[in-house]
Amino acid sequence: MASAAWQRSLQHPNSPAISPSRLESARLVLTAQIFYFVFLMLVFIGQQPFASRNQEELVAMAQDNDGSDFFKQTLFIGFALLLTGVQLIRRYPPRYRFTLWPLAIMLAWFFITCSWGVDPFVSFKRAMQQLIVIYITFSALTLIGPERLLQSLRYALILSLIICWISLPLTPAAVHPPTESDKALIGAWRGFFFHKNIAGAVMALTFMVVTNAWIDTKRWYYALFSVMAFVFVIGTKSKTSLALSFAILGVCAIYRALSDSTQKRAILLIMVALGMVGVLWLYVAFQPVVERLFADPTSFTGRVSIWEVDLAYLKDHPFLGAGFGGFWQVGARSPSLDYLNQAFQTLTAHSHNGYLEILVTTGPIGLILLVISFLLLPAIWFLTGATPENRALMVPCFAIWVFVLYQNLLETSFFDKDRQVWVIFLAAIAAAHATYKARPRPAWRRRYLSRPEAQHG
């Protein structure tokens, strides 16, 4: 792999001394890893952990959701500059070179769509936030490599898990209070996260990451963290995350077993794709039942009625979308306001479907670029890039990838500001791409067939 695991060892008196350049490189790698770990923890915890959530505060937060948080902007720009500074003084080869150009093209298209949004400046600020978060992720990958990137992510997830468990007996804010407007939330665990669905998704991802770490290392504390994460997912009452935890862990077990067979992995990936198609088929086949269940604001946050808002807008504007981040909560001129069909939707900040959100904001071009960047290309990486040697990297990345693909059928994670699931997904995609690029490749030899006239004279 591009970067190696660091081990503390005693140097023999007769062994060659470590060169100053290697020592300096090790210090820079460790510095960059610490920067990235702190960035992850700030993203996970947020600026207001254990924030109260009464109705008035929810309305205020929904109205003040335009990406104008000066402290957060300064913080993210600061991390980007710190990592850029390490890049400038780096004297060792980069652990990764950016070649994921479909993602860069997608970002460029997002900036173009800002120009026709109802408030281009708000859309531009939201797009800039995405650019900075993506830059921090891939810049850290360049400096520390995929192993250390995933190591930082695993440590940040474990620390978040421990903090959430400690918070339960210490503060009532770690559980959704009786003042919730959505009565289905009352009593659900959320830890320091803003919402139980966020806590459920992050803890489900923690469960999958630490379970795979336990399988790879057989260290007892990873097994303990795995149980703690799963129990916390149950406490969040997050139905989507709980259902996906077991299903995807089973899929990962199969993927792990097939790490030396490209043909069999192809069948597994086809099954994953058919699973997503199956979800859509179930919706079509049982549409009346599904719509009654999902349209109820107390069940699944009334998702079908929210999707109807997007679809009504797309019917009138089928080609370009509303501009990146320019459909929900863009002030009094938000395009969504003309299509709302229930009162609770005034607090809605996204479409509760990542694919539909990208379609309604950036049009068919944005959705096609999303599918290429986050579905088709990663499928190729996981299909052809997994080997028994890089299994400890590719399997957790595969778990995160599949989880987020399915989760976006009911939630919006793709390009969702600096939300936790999105940052975790970015780390997995970046690490998987770097691991795929660093895989051993077969050497091809050109063999020339002799001409008949040369053989027979």
Side-chain angles (χ1 to χ4, degrees):
M1 293 302 301
S3 60
W6 297 95
Q7 296 180 348
R8 177 179 294 177
S9 59
L10 297 176
Q11 187 172 338
H12 191 275
N14 297 326
S15 62
I18 299 176
S19 66
S21 61
R22 284 189 62 187
L23 185 61
E24 181 184 7
S25 298
R27 288 174 178 170
L28 285 178
V29 169
L30 181 60
T31 300
Q33 185 175 14
I34 291 173
F35 286 162
Y36 183 65
F37 173 80
V38 174
F39 165 74
L40 288 175
M41 289 307 305
L42 289 173
V43 167
F44 290 171
I45 296 176
Q47 296 171 237
Q48 296 179 316
F50 312 110
S52 59
R53 288 170 42 96
N54 59 44
Q55 186 67 19
E56 292 74 17
E57 288 167 331
L58 285 173
V59 173
M61 290 181 67
Q63 293 174 344
D64 190 27
N65 189 28
D66 63 352
S68 298
D69 191 326
F70 178 75
F71 176 80
K72 184 183 293 185
Q73 291 175 347
T74 304
L75 192 67
F76 284 6
I77 292 173
F79 274 106
L81 292 176
L82 285 172
L83 289 172
T84 301
V86 178
Q87 290 274 20
L88 292 175
I89 63 176
R90 168 182 56 80
R91 295 183 180 179
Y92 59 89
R95 304 292 196 251
Y96 169 83
R97 293 185 185 277
F98 185 85
T99 56
L100 189 50
W101 298 116
L103 176 58
I105 294 170
M106 182 162 48
L107 277 174
W109 173 249
F110 288 172
F111 277 101
I112 292 172
T113 65
C114 294
S115 61
W116 57 73
V118 294
D119 192 333
F121 187 51
V122 170
S123 295
F124 178 79
K125 286 188 291 185
R126 291 174 174 173
M128 277 300 300
Q129 190 176 34
Q130 290 306 313
L131 177 62
I132 294 172
V133 170
I134 292 171
Y135 174 80
I136 290 173
T137 302
F138 281 91
S139 181
L141 177 65
T142 299
L143 292 166
I144 67 179
E147 295 98 334
R148 281 182 171 260
L149 192 81
L150 280 185
Q151 183 186 65
S152 301
L153 176 62
R154 184 169 66 248
Y155 290 165
L157 290 171
I158 290 173
L159 182 56
S160 299
L161 171 66
I162 294 172
I163 295 173
C164 283
W165 268 103
I166 292 175
S167 69
L168 285 176
L170 295 182
T171 173
V175 178
H176 279 284
T179 56
E180 290 287 359
S181 57
D182 184 355
K183 301 307 178 185
L185 297 177
I186 297 174
W189 297 359
R190 63 179 179 126
F192 57 70
F193 296 100
F194 177 73
H195 192 280
K196 62 102 174 176
N197 284 344
I198 301 174
V202 175
M203 291 299 106
L205 291 170
T206 304
F207 168 66
M208 287 181 279
V209 168
V210 296
T211 299
N212 280 295
W214 172 71
I215 294 172
D216 288 322
T217 65
K218 299 300 187 291
R219 293 174 181 169
W220 66 268
Y221 48 83
Y222 285 133
L224 175 62
F225 292 141
S226 176
V227 173
M228 290 171 61
F230 184 73
V231 173
F232 205 94
V233 173
I234 296 174
T236 64
K237 302 180 183 179
S238 179
K239 296 178 282 291
T240 303
S241 297
L242 184 60
L244 288 175
S245 295
F246 269 124
I248 293 176
L249 197 62
V251 170
C252 284
I254 300 173
Y255 182 79
R256 176 183 293 275
L258 302 179
S259 59
D260 57 348
S261 174
T262 301
Q263 292 80 8
K264 293 178 181 178
R265 284 199 305 269
I267 296 174
L268 178 63
L269 288 172
I270 291 172
M271 291 172 60
V272 171
L274 289 177
M276 299 187 71
V277 174
V279 171
L280 296 177
W281 178 84
L282 286 173
Y283 171 71
V284 174
F286 300 97
Q287 186 173 0
V289 177
V290 173
E291 289 190 354
R292 281 198 302 271
L293 177 63
F294 281 68
D296 181 1
T298 64
S299 177
F300 294 97
T301 324
R303 281 170 173 79
V304 166
S305 64
I306 295 173
W307 298 339
E308 289 173 351
V309 175
D310 289 341
L311 295 174
Y313 179 83
L314 287 169
K315 184 178 180 180
D316 295 336
H317 308 81
F319 300 114
L320 296 178
F324 181 79
F327 186 69
W328 301 95
Q329 305 300 343
V330 199
R333 295 189 296 162
S334 298
S336 60
L337 296 178
D338 297 329
Y339 297 89
L340 300 185
N341 52 62
Q342 294 192 42
F344 80 93
Q345 294 168 354
T346 57
L347 299 178
T348 301
H350 54 79
S351 303
H352 284 280
N353 183 299
Y355 307 96
L356 192 55
E357 177 75 13
I358 293 299
L359 179 61
V360 78
T361 55
T362 63
I365 294 178
L367 182 60
I368 291 171
L369 291 170
L370 175 78
V371 169
I372 293 173
S373 300
F374 293 156
L375 276 76
L376 297 183
L377 287 180
I380 295 173
W381 309 338
F382 291 118
L383 174 65
T384 63
T387 65
E389 292 74 26
N390 65 25
R391 188 163 47 198
L393 285 174
M394 292 298 272
V395 173
C397 290
F398 178 78
I400 295 170
W401 177 66
V402 177
F403 179 92
V404 175
L405 291 189
Y406 273 88
Q407 190 224 22
N408 270 276
L409 295 172
L410 295 174
E411 295 288 348
T412 299
S413 300
F414 297 135
F415 297 97
D416 188 19
K417 309 176 187 66
D418 60 328
R419 295 295 173 84
Q420 296 87 345
V421 175
W422 167 236
V423 173
I424 294 170
F425 179 72
L426 267 181
I429 288 294
H433 189 222
T435 306
Y436 167 77
K437 289 177 63 178
R439 76 198 187 284
R441 303 188 186 188
W444 297 95
R445 293 183 179 181
R446 179 177 295 177
R447 300 177 63 185
Y448 296 94
L449 296 174
S450 58
R451 292 177 301 177
E453 57 270 22
Q455 294 180 356
H456 303 291

